[in-house]
């Protein structure tokens, strides 16, 4: 039987889902049925959430609730819901007040709010830059990039770039290594202006072939031998040109982004 | 003086940064100097992190550490670092073990790992779909979308779509309302196949004009009067066609995505 889990927050629920999910992965033998209840900003919304939780309890098993509510009144209502409530936020606020020697504002919804306009603009600029420089679309202003991912077609450059822009507001461009680059074993001239920003991605040939076959089931492009050849040439190029690179085969998008950010010392 | 804060984790640090930043927003009068130390997977890495923390303590003020380490050995090393350590993970593991009536696996790095291939593939498919259907690029297979955002140019459709795909693996397309749609006050025929998936975005005219001026400083496109006219027509269309919509003016990308997902009952 699946165990019901609720994520309750006064904003998006992303923080509650993030830590909650992370804790639940420590219990791989239990199946969970997740419900996100965002924007619980007043007592009425909290009571509606309690109703949903009580409904779930009728199945006999106590539901788990992860809450990041900051407001005392709504938090109290949720705590009376007969579920096992984990107060992800409140648990740390008081010790943090002590450590910092000041009271907290107890204001709801500061995370994932629009925050200051500067930060928002920076992020949207980064996203626009990344979209405009996807797949070698434009080589203009490549020296404005914070990082330029290079690698063979379908090795994960685009999602990693988008994540770098979305999560860290980094202007991430990508450049696909095509036939000409791989035969010649030299970096294209157009990358000269961003030499120190290059970061290589590689991948196992079997996985690349599988991914490419989904796109184009037939033809040279997705054959294992073609993938092997391209990857071997690309890795040789990375080594000769001293470009740092990672193997993306068993690495998630978040991890690739975090590793690239660390390796390239980007803030 | 800025207060030094460290986020320490055995994987990306995203979970630690997420909850840690969220807690810190409750102290708006203190300035923080953030350092993310990801991939602390062994004792050597933990000792290197402790060095960085001790270095910071030389400034005289006790640093704050948010940790999501799952491994006992590394966690113990960090706890001996003379900083104020908040153990975001460990705090909840034991009570969660009790609530679930089973022991946790105490395994590191399950969150933001590649997980099962199905989930990874679903997410990359969603991203590819979203990129392929950005800005009305392609109207093919629009009925395959999970959600279709519509609105005037530059009201936030693209970043919201990308976030929906990245965070929730949803196939999010977007369609820009252009002159013809707005003059005629009728939905374009090409949207007939996804009638129930339409979700409208609107924005205040002043902000739209500011955003457009950054792109094209001169010309009709970015004038306040033009923005006012387009928005008024778009909102009229949403109301007449009974398309749910939100005002994005003071709402972050995460919030827009979470609200749209809730309103359209998407999982």
């Amino acid at each position: 039987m699946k165990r019901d889990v609720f994520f309750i927050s006064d904003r998006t629920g992303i923080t509650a889902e993030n830590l909650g999910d992370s804790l639940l992965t420590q219990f791989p033998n239990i199946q969970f049925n997740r419900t996100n209840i965002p924007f619980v900003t007043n007592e009425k919304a909290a009571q509606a959430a309690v109703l949903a939780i009580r409904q779930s309890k009728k199945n006999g098993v106590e539901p788990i609730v992860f809450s990041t509510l900051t407001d005392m009144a709504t938090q109290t209502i949720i705590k009376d819901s007969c579920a096992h409530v984990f107060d992800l936020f409140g648990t740390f606020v008081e010790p943090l007040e002590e450590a910092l020697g000041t009271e907290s504002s107890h204001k709801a919804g500061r995370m994932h709010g629009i925050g200051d306009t500067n930060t928002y603009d920076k992020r949207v600029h980064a996203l626009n830059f990344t979209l405009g420089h996807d797949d070698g679309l434009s080589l203009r202003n490549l020296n404005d990039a914070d990082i330029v991912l290079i690698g063979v077609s379908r090795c994960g450059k685009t999602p990693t770039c988008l994540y770098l822009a979305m999560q860290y507001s980094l202007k991430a461009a990508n450049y696909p290594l095509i036939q000409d680059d791989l035969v010649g074993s030299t970096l294209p001239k157009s990358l000269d202006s961003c030499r120190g920003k290059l970061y290589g991605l590689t991948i196992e040939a079997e996985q690349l072939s599988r991914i490419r076959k989904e796109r184009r089931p037939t033809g040279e492009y997705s054959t294992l031998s073609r993938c092997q050849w391209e990857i071997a040439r690309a890795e040789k190029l990375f080594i000769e040109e001293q470009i740092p690179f990672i193997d993306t085969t068993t690495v998630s998008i978040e991890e690739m982004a975090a590793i690239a950010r660390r390796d390239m010392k980007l803030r």
Side-chain angles (χ1 to χ4, degrees), chain A residues 10 41-43 68-76 106-108:
Chain A
D10 47 38
T41 51
N42 53 48
E43 298 186 16
T68 52
L69 293 175
T70 41
D71 175 65
M72 300 293 271
T74 50
Q75 183 65 279
T76 306
H106 273 287
K107 278 206 190 106

Side-chain angles (χ1 to χ4, degrees), chain A residues 142-179:
Chain A
L142 214 54
N143 51 335
D144 278 353
D146 295 309
I147 183 170
V148 180
L149 300 187
I150 66 172
V152 302
S153 166
R154 294 284 121 188
C155 69
K157 298 183 297 300
T158 296
T160 307
C161 278
L162 287 171
Y163 196 83
L164 284 164
M166 185 77 81
Q167 178 78 13
Y168 304 116
S169 300
L170 291 169
K171 286 183 277 183
N174 76 67
Y175 180 90
L177 291 170
I178 56 164
Q179 175 91 7

Side-chain angles (χ1 to χ4, degrees), chain A residues 146-149 164 170 194-200 243-245 257-267:
Chain A
D146 295 309
I147 183 170
V148 180
L149 300 187
L164 284 164
L170 291 169
C194 55
R195 201 63 189 70
K197 293 166 180 174
L198 297 180
Y199 194 76
I243 296 165
F245 69 101
I259 295 168
R261 183 185 176 222
R262 180 198 58 181
D263 289 354
M264 303 300 276
K265 298 193 175 24
L266 294 166
R267 281 272 171 153

Side-chain angles (χ1 to χ4, degrees), chain A residues 128-149:
Chain A
N128 286 336
F129 182 92
T130 294
L131 288 169
H133 291 80
D134 182 36
D135 212 22
L137 256 181
S138 164
L139 300 172
R140 276 196 309 155
N141 311 326
L142 214 54
N143 51 335
D144 278 353
D146 295 309
I147 183 170
V148 180
L149 300 187

Side-chain angles (χ1 to χ4, degrees), chain A residues 78-225:
Chain A
I78 298 297
K79 278 187 179 157
D80 289 344
S81 67
C82 313
H84 204 118
V85 179
F86 292 86
D87 180 359
L88 302 185
F89 209 91
T91 306
F92 296 108
V93 164
E94 215 174 294
L96 199 52
E97 283 177 336
E98 246 173 68
L100 294 171
T102 182
E103 274 186 30
S104 77
S105 65
H106 273 287
K107 278 206 190 106
R110 294 184 152 266
M111 188 66 177
H112 293 132
I114 197 158
D116 62 305
T117 319
N118 277 345
T119 317
Y120 181 78
D121 284 354
K122 199 183 161 210
R123 187 185 197 186
V124 171
H125 277 148
L127 271 170
N128 286 336
F129 182 92
T130 294
L131 288 169
H133 291 80
D134 182 36
D135 212 22
L137 256 181
S138 164
L139 300 172
R140 276 196 309 155
N141 311 326
L142 214 54
N143 51 335
D144 278 353
D146 295 309
I147 183 170
V148 180
L149 300 187
I150 66 172
V152 302
S153 166
R154 294 284 121 188
C155 69
K157 298 183 297 300
T158 296
T160 307
C161 278
L162 287 171
Y163 196 83
L164 284 164
M166 185 77 81
Q167 178 78 13
Y168 304 116
S169 300
L170 291 169
K171 286 183 277 183
N174 76 67
Y175 180 90
L177 291 170
I178 56 164
Q179 175 91 7
D180 286 351
D181 309 318
L182 295 168
V183 169
S185 266
T186 48
L187 274 183
K189 280 271 172 232
S190 43
L191 295 181
D192 277 350
S193 69
C194 55
R195 201 63 189 70
K197 293 166 180 174
L198 297 180
Y199 194 76
L201 300 188
T202 189
I203 186 171
E204 272 174 17
E206 288 74 16
Q207 184 159 327
L208 183 63
S209 170
R210 182 181 70 78
I211 293 168
R212 287 186 172 181
K213 271 192 179 123
E214 279 180 36
R215 271 222 143 172
R216 289 195 217 153
T218 57
E220 166 78 0
Y221 174 72
S222 54
T223 58
L224 185 58
S225 59

